[in-house]
Amino acid sequence: MFPELIDTRPLRRAIDDGLNWVVRNWGDEFEAAAYPLLMLLKAIEDLLVATPWWLIMAILVGIAWLATRNWKLPVIVLVSLLFLGVMNLWEDAMTTMALMIAATITAIVVSIPVGVWMSRSLHVRNVITPILDLMQTLPSFVYLIPTVMIFGPGKIPALIATIVYAAPPLVRLTDLGLRSVDPAVMEASRAFGTNPRQRLLGVQIPLALPTILAGINQTTMMALAMVVIASMIGAGGLGYQVLQGIGRLEVSRGLFAGLGIVVLAIIFDRITQSFGKQLQGRIGLAEAR
């Protein structure tokens, strides 16, 4: 056994007391700040649950067709969605999809500007990269603790924890994509007298879109990977069914709900990948011309 050189109990007590002080004095302010996130999640969930199943199927199959112009992916999407309906997982799947969509939208709104900022400043990149490393390596249960203490069990801490877990890949890939734009193309755009904003919006972001889409794909997958853990603090959905299967030792319930999560992951993974390949092909064709 390693000798105890320092008594860490005062430090742990100070951290716990500090967080308790934050909860007592700033809990209401944090809840008010997070209220728009709850409204976004509730609006998406209500829309998905209220929309007829056949319409959601038609929309997702149509998006799959637009992404590939091929019959294979639409058939996979249709069969996957039919599996959710047949197994009586449709409503839970819509709840899970709402959490994933809300987390992905919020992550996009936050992560892309941060990625742009990192691509423009080496100092900012050096500061933010260790934070991203911490966010990606810290066990998700650890940052569930302060969110549950501040907001209490429910959908808000589940959504915030999912955003924290899922956002870093998009920040990194946005930064990478913008920095990977050909310097010759940037020099040519400067020669035409463009300002930095025009170069960013008209040259860098369009050329970096395949990489940014890969980041959105990773963010979506990580948001889905978080749903089981998020269900422990009140997120509901398919993750809650998996949790119920574990608690009641019902293998079938956990297995079917787990397969439902896999189905959603396959649908969104294939669709976003296909759109990324489309963009890459268009950019390659434009460069060839």
Side-chain angles (χ1 to χ4, degrees):
M1 182 176 177
F2 195 83
E4 186 177 333
L5 301 177
I6 301 174
D7 185 5
T8 59
R9 285 175 296 180
L11 176 61
R12 293 202 300 267
R13 197 176 299 114
I15 293 172
D16 293 340
D17 291 344
L19 185 56
N20 288 329
W21 181 87
V22 170
V23 172
R24 283 195 306 271
N25 292 278
W26 296 92
D28 293 340
E29 286 76 6
F30 278 115
E31 287 189 9
Y35 187 71
L37 289 177
L38 179 61
M39 289 296 98
L40 173 66
L41 176 58
K42 193 173 184 314
I44 295 172
E45 185 176 342
D46 290 345
L47 177 63
L48 289 176
V49 171
T51 304
W53 60 268
W54 53 266
L55 182 56
I56 291 178
M57 282 190 180
I59 291 170
L60 289 176
V61 169
I63 292 172
W65 169 259
L66 289 174
T68 58
R69 305 290 180 176
N70 192 305
W71 60 270
K72 291 181 182 178
L73 183 59
V75 168
I76 291 172
V77 171
L78 180 60
V79 171
S80 300
L81 293 173
L82 285 173
F83 169 81
L84 293 174
V86 170
M87 292 298 153
N88 293 321
L89 295 171
W90 186 263
E91 190 167 337
D92 288 321
M94 294 304 102
T95 301
T96 297
M97 196 187 300
L99 177 66
M100 181 206 69
I101 292 172
T104 303
I105 289 173
T106 309
I108 289 171
V109 170
V110 173
S111 300
I112 291 180
V114 174
V116 171
W117 193 22
M118 286 176 64
S119 70
R120 288 172 170 263
S121 170
L122 180 61
H123 176 70
V124 171
R125 190 182 313 141
N126 290 336
V127 171
I128 293 180
T129 298
I131 298 174
L132 297 177
D133 294 338
L134 182 66
M135 290 168 67
Q136 288 187 288
T137 56
L138 196 68
S140 51
F141 285 103
V142 175
Y143 52 75
L144 285 181
I145 297 169
T147 55
V148 172
M149 283 188 67
I150 293 172
F151 300 105
K155 292 185 180 293
I156 291 181
L159 179 57
I160 291 174
T162 304
I163 293 166
V164 172
Y165 183 75
L170 183 52
V171 177
R172 291 183 188 277
L173 286 170
T174 300
D175 172 39
L176 176 64
L178 294 175
R179 287 190 291 111
S180 299
V181 174
D182 190 347
V185 175
M186 295 300 297
E187 190 60 39
S189 67
R190 286 191 193 92
F192 281 101
T194 57
N195 59 42
R197 182 178 179 182
Q198 290 171 328
R199 286 195 295 274
L200 174 66
L201 298 177
V203 179
Q204 285 181 286
I205 288 182
L207 291 176
L209 264 181
T211 308
I212 294 173
L213 267 180
I216 293 173
N217 173 273
Q218 291 300 306
T219 293
T220 305
M221 294 303 100
M222 292 184 74
L224 275 173
M226 189 69 180
V227 296
V228 177
I229 297 172
S231 69
M232 296 178 182
I233 55 173
L238 293 172
Y240 181 71
Q241 295 300 322
V242 174
L243 194 64
Q244 290 282 87
I246 295 171
R248 298 177 182 178
L249 297 179
E250 294 181 24
V251 177
S252 58
R253 181 193 289 261
L255 176 63
F256 290 144
L259 288 174
I261 296 170
V262 172
V263 160
L264 291 180
I266 289 171
I267 291 171
F268 286 96
D269 177 58
R270 296 296 182 269
I271 288 176
T272 52
Q273 277 193 11
S274 298
F275 275 119
K277 288 177 182 176
Q278 264 193 18
L279 276 173
Q280 253 178 337
R282 290 174 184 173
I283 290 171
L285 186 61
E287 288 177 347
R289 289 177 180 174

